[in-house]
Amino acid sequence: MGEMLRDLPSPTVLPGKCAPRFWADLIVYNPLRKERNFLPDNPPHFDPQLHASYEPKHKHVLDVIADKSHYVKSAPVPNRAYKIAAICQSCRMHFNIEVEFTKPVEFSADVIPCPNGDSRNPYRYNPLHHFRYESGLSSPVDTSRYDKKSRKRWMDKRVFSCSSTNCPILVTVTTQPAMIRPDLLELLLSENTREARVKEAARMDPDDVPVDAAPPIPYQVLECLCTYIKNHKGGDQRTIFAENKRYLCNLGGCDEIMRLAHFTKSPDPITNAWIPASPDELEDVDSQVQQDLRGLLEEVTILMDDEKRRGDAPTKSVRVRQKTERAEIGAKWLLGLHKYDTSMGWQFDLTTPEHPHYAGLGAVGDMSDGLINWAYERQRACDPVNAPYYFECFESISKGRKSENLQFEVARLRSEGQFSISDLESSYKSLGVDPTSDDDLIIGVFKSRLADAPRQEGPMREDMRIIGAARRSEKILSFAKLAVGDVADAYKWLRVLESTEDQYILSTYKVRVEDNPDDEINARNALKLIAENRQSNVLYGFLEGNLYETPLEIGAAYSRLGIDDYSLSEDLIVNVFELRKQDAPSQTRDLRAALRSIGQNRNSIKIQSYLETGSADGITKGSAEWPVGLENIGNTCYLNSLLQFYFTVKPLREMILNIDQFQEEEINDEVVERKRVGGRKVSKKEIERAKKFVGHLRTLFQNLITSRASSVTPERDLAYLTLVSSKDEEEEERRISVSYDVPLPPPPPPVICINDDVDDKMDIDEKAPSQSETDDTTSEATLVNENEDLPPPYPGTGDDYVMVYHDGKPSRADDKENLPPLKDITAGVVGAPRPPLQDIDMNEPQGASGAVANKTGPTYGPPTPPPDIPDMPDRPPPVPPRPTKQDPKPDTNLMFGRQQDVTECIGNVMFQVEAAIKPESIGENGEQIDLVKKLFYGTTKQTLSFPNSAETRTKEELFSHLLVDVAEGDRDIYSALDSSFDIEQVDLEGREAKRFLSISHLPPILQIQVQRVQYDRAKASAYKSNSHLKFPDTIYLDRYMETDEPDLKAKREESWVWKEELKALEQRLAELTKTPAGIRVPKALEYTHQWLSELRPDEIPVPPDLLRELEQRTVSMRQECECMAPPRDVKILMTDVDWYGAKVIEARIQELQSRIEQQFTGSCKQGYRIHSVFIHRGSASFGHYWIYIYDFQRKLFRKYNDGYVTEVADPQEVFTHGDINPPTPYFLVFVKEDQSLNIMEAVQRQMATTTI
């Protein structure tokens, strides 16, 4: 418990603000404001219907007063004190920001200054300071006594501390007004007083000062005062005679200003002089005299520079304050916000006022989603009374940002019972009571309404819960929960007996909730009471599996069970859990949560089994109505998902179960000679290996049908043959043979291209890959391994399984995850980068609709247009070789671990199945046609046309799956597929040509790979894109089909025109509104103009023409961005894009996007239903896989997670994924609508009977 309390906020119930908000409030702070003030006061609860948010009229621009400051531009050291003295450039208010580490920590906790920690440990994670106002240590100015016209100088002191119990920081902000008050400034610089001083000087000394002498300009007056102050500050002990000509003309009559500079008037009227301060006071750098002189000197130099900026200074004068530093730089280091996370998945517009809800959370608008989430949690912990308002702020921000991560958090928090101010108001309104009503009246109204409308019991009790929680009324909360008060009420409410079995209770619960969803809260409460009473693992498992709970941090989990030794065996951990549960049965749910976190951390099947069954060593019994899981035998979670998918493909499963009728019987020379799979010959050894594979696969399928257990363990030989190709096995043998001088086996058979007898190549000049361009052949590795020799980049079996490269040459990549994108082309995939156009036989014109004699081959998608970047090396430096093994046999464990690749594994399975079975027929190129080809392979048609010519060229190519990319961010399935099928312009032998793809034949089973592993050329490493791919349960592919229908062709061509226009508009909009700094272009120009105009000529000479040009461009760009929409009869032409402003472009973009989205709404002939969704959670180098499979017979989704197969309660779990590290789909399987029931069958069980 002490560990969990370590970083709870201090006991003070008071909201705070993150360090960025603290600084934002400090630079608009006005101590004399009598209403709520930005810096010390909590922001008012924002209500847009009642008032508008307060916008500060003045923002301080603070410059450091170096002589009065001592700080470092690095992280502060806790045992030191720091101070930044600063002055505002415009209002000349003085600021002292002092930072020290003297606050006592709570609970005798460790001293850990913020920012600190790791997000993986929420008990020590504080990415920023969270400051709260310490009123007891502060001395605010009395606003009833002082105002802007006050002659007496006031001081305002505000103290703040960090809410973290571990952080000892104290921040003191002291402010004082300008020393030269407005009335003194008027006395010093006004035209009347300057003229009066010169006249007085002429009267006193007409010989030196002519009667018609011109008065000094303000700059000269200030320059004189500046000289006196500088000399005085430097220790000059000379007196200043009041009848001196310079003094009389510039400062005559300004006695109070001289006193501010600590000059004293001589008591002798004859002398009539100003006497400087004593040497002792001037020599002491910390004396009040020196402090005041420094501050006064800063003010005078600011005023002098103001005069120069206005053009009222002498021509040869230069800026006085030449080496100033912004206080923001040092303050951000001291306050720990110099480099906070501002990464956002949304565009942040600095020109738009920040919404007040950010201030409500103590946050600022440019903070990342993660920091916004942290700020909300911190604010709620510090001020639980106002938690509904903070939740409203958090929910509003999540909607405004359209952030999936934040919206997921909102949903999770709602599931845990959080509610907003709006929810509270709605609850009062629903019950018809006033917030000022007492508890008894509210309960009475509730009872009355419940009697009148018993069917509304659920919503009314939820309203009571919200009201009771907001009022902190146990009385109201007890009535909110009264529907199921104890276990007897729970049985009665669910209408079951104490003797009823757990499974029947679950069925009753589901029926009750389905009939009346409003009863879910009471139903869950009833189920929880029964689970606690029975200590039922089945009921506990159901409750825990349907809650979106944040897993307990692993250290807190062990601490909750009272375990200090993290190395305890699983059996001992379970024994400790049982002891703790016996001692405190009421805490069973908390104890189970701790045990579950430990089990997940260890990936322990035993602990997970115990939580589900209550037995750590028993085997869960299977069901005749439920599929069987597959145990993970070591980094095989992807393999398990793939095997489960293939088992549900009914024709494939039946063929494997009866493989003796389909496989090659005698492997003679004739069989080997005709055997061509994947565009190449298959060796005898590979056929024998494939037959072993399908034999093991048949055994597994039989076990999945007959096993009486809830899960089975795949044979290791099956996993090895699936994950390790024959080529990789052979290479390992060759490597070891070389090490031990063993004779090498013969080289592999030659690669034979399907198209090697076709002359009409259609290769397009390849474009250089972009910085973030994908390696289309790369996919996610399953779990942790060094992978210095990853398998080749093809969805097949290795280098020996390269279906088609247009140059007829195979390619090799030893390390896909760590190589730059390959220039070679993936075969059998639609969506890979398209190859160069070369060697096209221009003597084969086809006419307007003619086609080349078509041969099957691969299909390629369009490349991403590259930015201008320098060439990168083909691959990073090679990794060191592995240590030489002592046993000259292949290390199957090593190969087993390195072959965990998505498309590689799929291709390896399909290759071996085809290699093992007899062909049904032989294709034109000698390729084997079989059940696999008929189920999984389709054909695309590539069309090449030339402007102003009737010539058209086409070529048909096989594909096994389509490839979609999410490198550019979130997108839907159609826009992702469009990237492969849309028309594009290419260059062919000096002529422009247009190329597009269509589908001429669709397979019954459509597979779509989501390309998630990208390559960052700048970092020379792979990374995983977690962008969301939106897909419905049914997709329609009519828009991509090869067709003669004029309407569909016209729609397709019209959508291409729209997309070209959309691309140009989006590019222009980005030019108008986006800059690297994240602000709009006009604002960037304005800031540039301002910065350049403030430069001294001796620093950087700025041509006047440049400033004028910037000013003109700023005005022009602002007018373009703000111009109104043109008349309706004016269309936006591509040539006129530059003329229109951002607002018009945005409106047109929305219109085009809507048109494109609706273009094919009525085209629904080629429908495909979702069947399987392969999921990965992790990074590019490690993670975990599982699969969702839809049961068309029972109309439900199941989640296959290794040995566990569970029903998906909410289908949205399959389609939406939101988290900081979300689970993401990377392979989708769709089935033809009209064939889904015939082809797919999720459950096939004939449990074996036991004989006695």
Side-chain angles (χ1 to χ4, degrees), residues 23 26-27 60-66 69 71-73 83-89 93 95-97 321 324-335 337:
W23 178 254
L26 186 145
I27 60 176
H60 300 294
V61 179
L62 301 180
D63 284 345
V64 174
I65 304 176
S69 305
Y71 64 96
V72 292
K73 296 177 187 176
K83 176 182 176 182
I84 294 179
I87 185 170
C88 178
Q89 276 191 0
M93 183 179 288
F95 284 77
N96 278 341
I97 305 170
R321 307 174 75 247
T324 58
E325 180 178 303
R326 291 283 190 263
E328 180 178 10
I329 300 172
K332 286 188 174 182
W333 275 105
L334 294 185
L335 300 177
L337 69 145

Side-chain angles (χ1 to χ4, degrees), residues 430-431 444-463 516 518-519 522:
S430 297
L431 288 178
V445 171
F446 165 72
K447 288 180 177 179
S448 175
R449 287 183 172 271
L450 185 60
D452 294 339
R455 288 177 176 266
Q456 298 299 314
E457 180 181 353
M460 282 193 283
R461 290 195 184 277
E462 175 63 8
D463 289 333
N516 190 354
D518 292 335
D519 284 341
N522 289 323

Side-chain angles (χ1 to χ4, degrees), residues 1054-1241:
E1054 189 175 27
S1055 71
W1056 290 342
V1057 174
W1058 291 341
K1059 288 172 185 175
E1060 284 296 318
E1061 182 181 354
L1062 179 63
K1063 181 179 178 182
L1065 290 171
E1066 288 175 336
Q1067 181 178 353
R1068 181 56 181 162
L1069 183 62
E1071 292 171 355
L1072 288 174
T1073 60
K1074 294 180 181 178
T1075 65
I1079 60 177
R1080 289 181 179 268
V1081 176
K1083 206 67 178 176
L1085 290 171
E1086 181 182 334
Y1087 289 157
T1088 304
H1089 180 275
Q1090 180 181 348
W1091 181 77
L1092 289 175
S1093 56
E1094 292 178 358
L1095 288 174
R1096 295 199 330 269
D1098 58 337
E1099 290 180 334
I1100 301 177
V1102 180
D1105 292 344
L1106 175 59
L1107 293 176
R1108 283 195 296 272
E1109 178 70 16
L1110 280 171
E1111 188 172 2
Q1112 292 172 1
R1113 289 288 183 91
T1114 302
V1115 174
S1116 172
M1117 291 294 285
R1118 176 163 285 120
Q1119 290 174 347
E1120 183 175 3
C1121 287
E1122 296 176 355
C1123 73
M1124 300 303 294
R1128 292 185 177 179
D1129 58 346
V1130 177
K1131 293 184 178 179
I1132 297 179
L1133 303 176
M1134 294 304 297
T1135 55
D1136 297 332
V1137 167
D1138 290 343
W1139 182 80
Y1140 290 98
K1143 293 183 179 179
V1144 180
I1145 293 177
E1146 288 172 353
R1148 179 61 174 166
I1149 285 175
Q1150 292 178 0
E1151 179 187 352
L1152 288 173
Q1153 289 174 338
S1154 177
R1155 286 187 180 185
I1156 293 169
E1157 185 177 348
Q1158 301 297 323
Q1159 179 74 339
F1160 299 96
T1161 302
S1163 303
C1164 303
K1165 294 179 182 178
Q1166 302 294 337
Y1168 275 77
R1169 293 282 306 279
I1170 189 68
H1171 173 262
S1172 301
V1173 181
F1174 291 71
I1175 297 291
H1176 174 267
R1177 185 167 197 157
S1179 70
S1181 57
F1182 68 90
H1184 180 60
Y1185 297 88
W1186 66 88
I1187 186 173
Y1188 296 106
I1189 297 179
Y1190 187 71
D1191 187 335
F1192 289 102
Q1193 286 74 25
R1194 292 171 175 78
K1195 298 180 180 179
L1196 56 86
F1197 273 105
R1198 295 186 182 90
K1199 178 180 180 180
Y1200 294 70
N1201 190 354
D1202 288 336
Y1204 300 95
V1205 182
T1206 56
E1207 182 179 348
V1208 177
D1210 182 3
Q1212 286 305 309
E1213 178 184 334
V1214 180
F1215 297 96
T1216 58
H1217 313 89
D1219 201 343
I1220 295 174
N1221 179 23
T1224 50
Y1226 65 90
F1227 204 80
L1228 309 175
V1229 180
F1230 291 85
V1231 187
K1232 269 193 175 180
E1233 250 183 333
D1234 55 355
Q1235 299 183 40
S1236 57
L1237 287 171
N1238 297 327
I1239 294 180
M1240 297 300 184
E1241 186 180 41

Side-chain angles (χ1 to χ4, degrees), residues 661-884:
Q661 302 174 23
F662 296 92
Q663 69 180 353
E664 299 282 3
E665 297 172 358
E666 182 180 354
I667 310 174
N668 51 34
D669 293 342
E670 180 183 350
V671 170
V672 174
E673 180 63 27
R674 66 161 165 79
K675 196 75 169 178
R676 285 172 64 95
V677 176
R680 70 170 179 87
K681 291 184 178 181
V682 184
S683 67
K684 180 178 180 180
K685 182 178 180 181
E686 286 175 318
I687 299 174
E688 293 171 344
R689 189 181 193 273
K691 291 181 67 175
K692 290 181 183 177
F693 166 76
V694 295
H696 288 301
L697 188 60
R698 174 175 59 182
T699 301
L700 176 69
F701 283 4
Q702 289 171 341
N703 290 338
L704 290 174
I705 294 172
T706 61
S707 174
R708 300 185 61 83
S710 65
S711 63
V712 298
T713 302
E715 294 176 293
R716 191 170 184 83
D717 286 345
L718 172 64
Y720 176 81
L721 291 170
T722 305
L723 298 171
V724 181
S725 72
S726 59
K727 179 61 182 174
D728 287 299
E729 187 179 68
E730 184 177 304
E731 284 188 353
E732 183 73 4
E733 292 175 354
R734 290 168 65 86
R735 183 183 66 81
I736 295 172
S737 297
V738 170
S739 300
Y740 290 88
D741 297 326
V742 179
L744 295 176
V751 176
I752 300 178
C753 178
I754 292 177
N755 282 6
D756 54 10
D757 59 341
V758 179
D759 296 328
D760 54 304
K761 297 182 180 179
M762 299 187 65
D763 299 342
I764 307 298
D765 293 334
E766 184 182 12
K767 301 175 183 178
S770 65
Q771 185 164 348
S772 63
E773 187 173 332
T774 63
D775 173 359
D776 289 318
T777 57
T778 305
S779 54
E780 295 111 344
T782 297
L783 244 123
V784 182
N785 60 67
E786 270 129 10
N787 283 343
E788 59 251 294
D789 187 19
L790 283 173
Y794 179 72
T797 60
D799 281 354
D800 52 355
Y801 188 24
V802 181
M803 280 188 64
V804 180
Y805 289 91
H806 276 273
D807 57 6
K809 299 175 183 178
S811 173
R812 174 67 180 166
D814 294 324
D815 188 348
K816 297 192 307 301
E817 298 291 354
N818 295 307
L819 282 180
L822 300 177
K823 295 183 179 179
D824 298 307
I825 306 303
T826 301
V829 182
V830 174
R834 300 181 184 177
L837 254 179
Q838 56 187 0
D839 301 331
I840 292 185
D841 189 349
M842 299 305 294
N843 297 317
E844 296 181 302
Q846 303 302 318
S849 59
V852 178
N854 296 322
K855 307 288 183 179
T856 49
T859 301
Y860 311 108
T864 303
D868 295 330
I869 56 173
D871 294 332
M872 298 293 291
D874 290 336
R875 62 179 65 204
V879 295
R882 294 178 179 174
T884 304

Side-chain angles (χ1 to χ4, degrees), residues 357-373:
H357 281 157
Y358 282 102
L361 294 184
V364 292
D366 69 345
M367 285 168 54
S368 67
D369 287 352
L371 287 181
I372 292 292
N373 193 358

Side-chain angles (χ1 to χ4, degrees), residues 16-168:
K17 57 188 68 179
C18 302
R21 168 53 56 185
F22 178 83
W23 178 254
D25 290 348
L26 186 145
I27 60 176
V28 295
Y29 179 45
N30 176 12
L32 297 181
R33 177 175 161 80
K34 295 184 178 181
E35 298 84 4
R36 287 193 189 223
N37 217 324
F38 280 88
L39 189 61
D41 297 331
N42 307 326
H45 289 193
F46 174 71
D47 186 346
Q49 298 178 351
L50 297 180
H51 58 80
S53 59
Y54 170 71
E55 289 292 332
K57 297 179 181 179
H58 173 66
K59 181 179 287 188
H60 300 294
V61 179
L62 301 180
D63 284 345
V64 174
I65 304 176
D67 292 346
K68 300 171 67 174
S69 305
H70 46 88
Y71 64 96
V72 292
K73 296 177 187 176
S74 60
V77 180
N79 59 1
R80 294 184 57 187
Y82 303 89
K83 176 182 176 182
I84 294 179
I87 185 170
C88 178
Q89 276 191 0
S90 53
C91 70
R92 292 175 287 112
M93 183 179 288
H94 292 253
F95 284 77
N96 278 341
I97 305 170
E98 299 175 77
V99 174
E100 53 187 348
F101 297 85
T102 57
K103 186 195 80 171
V105 297
E106 305 291 339
F107 308 114
S108 300
D110 297 335
V111 174
I112 308 175
C114 304
N116 61 70
D118 190 324
S119 59
R120 293 171 293 184
N121 187 343
Y123 301 102
R124 286 182 178 269
Y125 179 51
N126 283 302
L128 292 167
H129 286 295
H130 185 255
F131 293 114
R132 292 193 295 188
Y133 178 51
E134 296 287 351
S135 57
L137 302 177
S138 302
S139 303
V141 62
D142 185 352
T143 56
S144 64
R145 295 179 53 196
Y146 296 98
D147 58 25
K148 293 182 179 179
K149 298 181 181 179
S150 299
R151 297 181 64 85
K152 187 175 181 181
R153 198 175 184 216
W154 48 262
M155 177 183 289
D156 179 83
K157 176 184 175 184
R158 306 285 185 162
V159 181
F160 302 84
S161 66
C162 184
S163 66
S164 169
T165 57
N166 300 84
C167 184

